[in-house]
Amino acid sequence: MAAFLVRRLLQMFLVTIVAAICSYTLLYISPGGPIDQLLGERQNGGVNRINQDDILRVKQRFELDIYAPVRFSRWLIGWPTGPILGSIGADWTVGCAIPGQVRLRYPDGRTEIVEEGCDQPVTLADLEGRKSSRGVFFLDFGVSQVILRDRPVIDLIGTRLPYTLYLMGGSTLLALVIAVPIGVYSAVKQYSRFDYTMTTIAFVGSSLPSFVFGIFAILIFSVLAKQAGLPYLPSGDAVGIRDYAIPLLGTIEAGSFFDRFLRFLMPCGVLTFISIAGWSRFVRGSMLEVLSQDYVRTARAKGVKESAVVLKHALRNSLIPFITLLAGVLATLFGGALITETVFNWPGLGRLYIDALGRSDYNVANALLLINVVLLLIGILITDILYTIVDPRIRLG
Amino acid sequence: MAQVLSQAPTSVDTEAGWRTIWRQLRRSPMGLAGLCMLAVVLFMAIFAPWVAPYDPYAPVRARIDTIYAPPSAEHPLGTDDGGKDVLSAFIFGARVSLIVGFVASAITVLIGGLVGIVAGYYGGRVGGALMGVTNIFLVIPDLPLYVVLVSLLGPSIWNIILAIILLSWTGTARLVYAQVLSIRERQFVTRARAIGASSGYIIRKHILPLVLPIILAQNALVISIAILSESGLAFLGLGDPSLISWGTMLNFAFGRGAVSVGAWWALLPPGLGIVWVVLGWTLLGYVIEDIVNPRARTHHLM
């Protein structure tokens, strides 16, 4: 067990580093970064003239004037923050603030300005005064660059986390409570009308993308219900800004518990339904497999009550494969549901990620992606350990 | 794991095997439903220019009374935010879904199948390396990576297909790998090797015919995943801006106030279209998998 844990933790560490490198590189080479945005403004506007200083400032904020490997190392472990050991390599070039420009003249008379070399290099000594994080590795994700400028990413995540947690937690719990009985009952009454109905619903549910379902829900429960003068549900956001009146229910105070609850219903319902569709099928399948085992027949032959056979003998064993599915839950609890949160304008971490990508807030996007990977790895580890607990035949090795 | 334990189909006679699959497919109500659903979409996609009342790509001068106009004789499904006919856009949108589905799944299954067979047959270090890569891909969350990849490559339909392939070939490879591992140990392979058959011959004559049906079932599943991914990306605004797909229709309608004006005709058709085509492929994949590999049934619909 100990050897297994050590090996697995080491493996997880390596995978995390690889994932960190991948996500960091991917984000920084994607086009449409902050400099492009700035230059775009210059071309479009003309009102706010942007000069070299502005570009320099933006570059400094995003650390774009530092070479990628050094930048990555600063992000990962918060080093180097200045000359090594206080004095070594103060004049080593680690980046370039203003690239050199070369005018190329082609034989046919065209000229073109190409960036080449470096006019004003950045040295280790220049890094000394700069703000820098202690490094992702030491759980400091740096500061948000765009969304909440210069506030720690952790703060930003902290304000969004509760929303994601209670949306995902609520829907996961609800889905579990509903899906397991449905799966068990469908298996016990295989090929009954109930089973066929549930199968149909599961098929439709698994083909129904969350945004389609979400839009339909908003259309029916918010817009059309409101038009028809029926009680309706608010269509988005987690908390209302103004009081509003709903037929039959009266005026609802913005920010009250009831207001939050009404807004919680639709996104939670969408996520729950989609989980139920998959999970109930899964429980049904593994339950069917267990019900055909010899020991179940033995239990029945001994005269054990049918309810005891199903709930005690069969259900317990049929839930073992189900643990695998729950491994991903830890990560989704935190990562939230990107698309559902976008549809319902839910201020959770999923939407934060989309926002961060759209506005090139790299520190935020990177932090979220990395946390997600780590949680998924932890989820897989917990699953493996849980397996040995519920099924003693499985040994870790 | 159950994949390794499960029995591969025993029929080596490919011709008869395919005919059996086809016969059983036609007999199962689910498979038949899936086939019919897909036939409708396929017809719509192929004959779009003749079926659609208008050309959705032609520029339209929008007037205030033609924006989100409710269904009428002139526009059976009303108009969208740009005053264009929703029905025509819906019909042409089927093309994008099917193209993404077919191309992405064909290449995915080709790469995945090839890697799976090679790794499974030669085993050892190749298999280990493959599983290592697969495990890394399994850990990285799908949707965030899609979003990053597509914004990195640029939102064109081919880049979306590329991203889908990059993220889904490992699943097929894993599945085929597990199958080949179990087939490799079967007696007829050992015998063929004892007679002196080359690896290429064994793969072609003994392994491929047994793996192909499983790849076929996987193909239907990959198609539905690809269509879902494309429409999801398009809904987030990362669709190909030069093409009309169901996802971009939803994105525009949702982002431009169709919900608040209650223009259900701009939202329902693309939404139902996605569900329709994905459901068709899911049904088909489920039934084919049920026929070729009955024990793997429980692994569906996760």
Side-chain angles (χ1 to χ4, degrees):
Chain A
M1 184 73 178
F4 165 80
L5 270 184
V6 168
R7 206 174 65 224
R8 275 300 285 276
L9 287 175
L10 208 69
Q11 236 172 33
M12 280 166 64
F13 179 74
L14 282 178
V15 172
T16 310
I17 298 288
V18 171
I21 295 174
C22 289
S23 72
Y24 193 85
T25 326
L26 270 178
L27 282 182
Y28 267 93
I29 55 177
S30 57
I35 299 293
D36 282 358
Q37 261 169 12
L38 205 65
L39 292 176
E41 279 168 32
R42 171 153 72 174
Q43 274 172 354
N44 291 337
V47 184
N48 299 325
R49 291 239 165 211
I50 286 146
N51 54 29
Q52 192 70 42
D53 286 348
D54 294 326
I55 294 182
L56 264 181
R57 212 171 43 237
V58 170
K59 269 191 172 175
Q60 231 179 61
R61 192 166 72 239
F62 289 86
E63 302 216 318
L64 286 175
D65 53 350
I66 304 176
Y67 294 141
V70 182
R71 201 195 308 147
F72 178 69
S73 137
R74 273 167 69 85
W75 173 73
L76 192 69
I77 51 175
W79 179 90
T81 50
I84 300 158
L85 297 176
S87 56
I88 304 168
D91 55 346
W92 290 356
T93 307
V94 291
C96 177
I98 304 171
Q101 290 186 332
V102 177
R103 188 187 295 272
L104 290 181
R105 186 171 289 120
Y106 292 102
D108 56 1
R110 279 184 306 124
T111 58
E112 189 187 359
I113 294 174
V114 184
E115 287 188 355
E116 163 108 29
C118 191
D119 259 3
Q120 192 186 315
V122 176
T123 59
L124 271 184
D126 292 334
L127 296 182
E128 196 142 27
R130 286 202 193 178
K131 246 184 285 176
S132 81
S133 69
R134 271 172 293 129
V136 168
F137 196 73
F138 305 105
L139 296 179
D140 182 353
F141 294 99
V143 293
S144 159
Q145 290 148 317
V146 183
I147 295 177
L148 267 183
R149 190 175 291 178
D150 293 338
R151 292 274 306 280
V153 172
I154 279 292
D155 288 3
L156 191 57
I157 292 179
T159 58
R160 304 290 194 98
L161 183 60
Y163 291 105
T164 288
L165 271 185
Y166 83 81
L167 177 64
M168 301 309 290
S171 69
T172 308
L173 274 183
L174 209 59
L176 264 181
V177 170
I178 300 173
V180 173
I182 289 181
V184 170
Y185 194 73
S186 307
V188 173
K189 300 262 186 267
Q190 199 189 3
Y191 302 131
S192 65
R193 187 171 298 167
F194 177 84
D195 186 27
Y196 277 122
T197 316
M198 282 305 149
T199 306
T200 314
I201 292 177
F203 267 110
V204 175
S206 67
S207 313
L208 193 62
S210 54
F211 58 94
V212 172
F213 193 16
I215 289 174
F216 285 5
I218 292 177
L219 200 61
I220 295 168
F221 295 117
S222 301
V223 179
L224 296 181
K226 194 176 183 180
Q227 283 176 356
L230 297 169
Y232 66 94
L233 291 170
S235 64
D237 298 323
V239 187
I241 301 168
R242 266 183 307 245
D243 296 0
Y244 52 98
I246 289 181
L248 300 178
L249 294 178
T251 309
I252 284 155
E253 197 186 326
S256 65
F257 174 77
F258 199 51
D259 172 43
R260 286 166 188 267
F261 177 71
L262 286 180
R263 290 169 189 279
F264 175 71
L265 275 180
M266 262 200 296
C268 180
V270 167
L271 290 172
T272 308
F273 179 79
I274 289 177
S275 302
I276 289 178
W279 291 358
S280 65
R281 292 297 294 174
F282 194 87
V283 173
R284 175 186 180 270
S286 65
M287 190 76 187
L288 278 178
E289 206 157 308
V290 174
L291 278 177
S292 63
Q293 302 265 320
D294 288 342
Y295 72 87
V296 172
R297 185 151 25 95
T298 311
R300 281 194 180 126
K302 277 198 312 190
V304 179
K305 263 192 297 180
E306 183 62 21
S307 62
V309 172
V310 171
L311 296 180
K312 274 202 177 146
H313 292 74
L315 179 61
R316 282 186 162 187
N317 281 326
S318 75
L319 287 184
I320 291 175
F322 196 60
I323 293 171
T324 326
L325 278 192
L326 294 181
V329 166
L330 188 65
T332 48
L333 271 187
F334 190 89
L338 261 66
I339 290 184
T340 312
E341 285 181 4
T342 308
V343 172
F344 291 103
N345 208 21
W346 189 262
L349 291 172
R351 229 194 67 212
L352 179 63
Y353 179 77
I354 299 269
D355 282 352
L357 276 184
R359 297 167 66 180
S360 27
D361 199 332
Y362 298 129
N363 276 350
V364 175
N366 263 324
L368 288 174
L369 206 58
L370 200 64
I371 292 174
N372 225 312
V373 169
V374 171
L375 284 180
L376 208 58
L377 285 170
I378 294 176
I380 295 173
L381 182 68
I382 293 177
T383 322
D384 285 352
I385 295 172
L386 270 183
Y387 254 119
T388 59
I389 295 173
V390 295
D391 187 351
R393 287 171 304 177
I394 298 173
R395 293 251 165 78
L396 298 176
Chain B
M1 262 298 105
Q3 304 288 2
V4 185
L5 300 175
S6 70
Q7 286 286 311
T10 38
S11 112
V12 188
D13 183 358
T14 351
E15 193 69 23
W18 291 120
R19 234 177 289 134
T20 319
I21 292 176
W22 176 237
R23 200 178 328 115
Q24 281 182 293
L25 189 63
R26 269 182 323 178
R27 249 189 234 146
S28 115
M30 271 163 124
L32 208 58
L35 277 179
C36 291
M37 289 169 84
L38 292 176
V40 174
V41 181
L42 203 63
F43 175 81
M44 216 162 74
I46 292 173
F47 298 103
W50 295 276
V51 181
Y54 301 89
D55 177 9
Y57 288 101
V60 167
R61 181 178 290 267
R63 290 196 320 270
I64 193 74
D65 57 327
T66 61
I67 290 173
Y68 288 136
S72 60
E74 209 179 334
H75 299 286
L77 285 179
T79 58
D80 63 6
D81 57 290
K84 289 187 178 178
D85 187 45
V86 173
L87 179 65
S88 311
F90 171 71
I91 290 170
F92 272 82
R95 291 187 154 187
V96 176
S97 282
L98 286 185
I99 288 176
V100 169
F102 281 134
V103 177
S105 71
I107 301 176
T108 299
V109 165
L110 199 72
I111 297 176
L114 210 65
V115 174
I117 289 175
V118 168
Y121 187 77
Y122 295 102
R125 204 162 286 176
V126 189
L130 168 73
M131 288 304 107
V133 175
T134 320
N135 284 336
I136 289 183
F137 269 92
L138 279 180
V139 165
I140 301 173
D142 269 2
L143 196 60
L145 200 59
Y146 269 130
V147 176
V148 175
L149 266 180
V150 173
S151 45
L152 166 68
L153 297 166
S156 94
I157 188 170
W158 302 114
N159 288 339
I160 292 173
I161 290 176
L162 187 68
I164 292 173
I165 295 168
L166 274 178
L167 289 189
S168 51
W169 68 270
T170 48
T172 310
R174 225 181 151 82
L175 187 76
V176 174
Y177 173 74
Q179 282 293 334
V180 173
L181 270 189
S182 77
I183 296 171
R184 194 181 57 166
E185 303 305 326
R186 308 263 298 271
Q187 277 203 335
F188 58 84
V189 177
T190 326
R191 268 187 224 133
R193 210 176 287 137
I195 298 170
S198 68
S199 296
Y201 181 85
I202 294 177
I203 288 179
R204 232 178 23 251
K205 289 286 173 183
H206 291 298
I207 292 184
L208 209 53
L210 288 184
V211 174
L212 226 44
I214 290 150
I215 293 183
L216 184 74
Q218 177 73 4
N219 192 25
L221 202 68
V222 175
I223 291 182
S224 60
I225 292 172
I227 293 175
L228 278 179
S229 309
E230 188 273 334
S231 54
L233 283 171
F235 174 72
L236 289 176
L238 291 166
D240 192 325
S242 67
L243 289 173
I244 297 170
S245 84
W246 291 334
T248 49
M249 284 172 76
L250 275 179
N251 176 32
F252 282 134
F254 188 70
R256 294 180 185 171
V259 172
S260 49
V261 301
W264 52 267
W265 53 87
L267 295 164
L268 278 186
L272 290 179
I274 295 169
V275 178
W276 182 270
V277 74
V278 173
L279 187 58
W281 284 116
T282 311
L283 285 175
L284 211 59
Y286 180 80
V287 172
I288 297 178
E289 185 163 341
D290 213 18
I291 296 168
V292 300
N293 197 5
R295 281 222 29 173
R297 177 183 344 204
T298 48
H299 294 264
H300 236 285
L301 275 183
M302 297 211 321

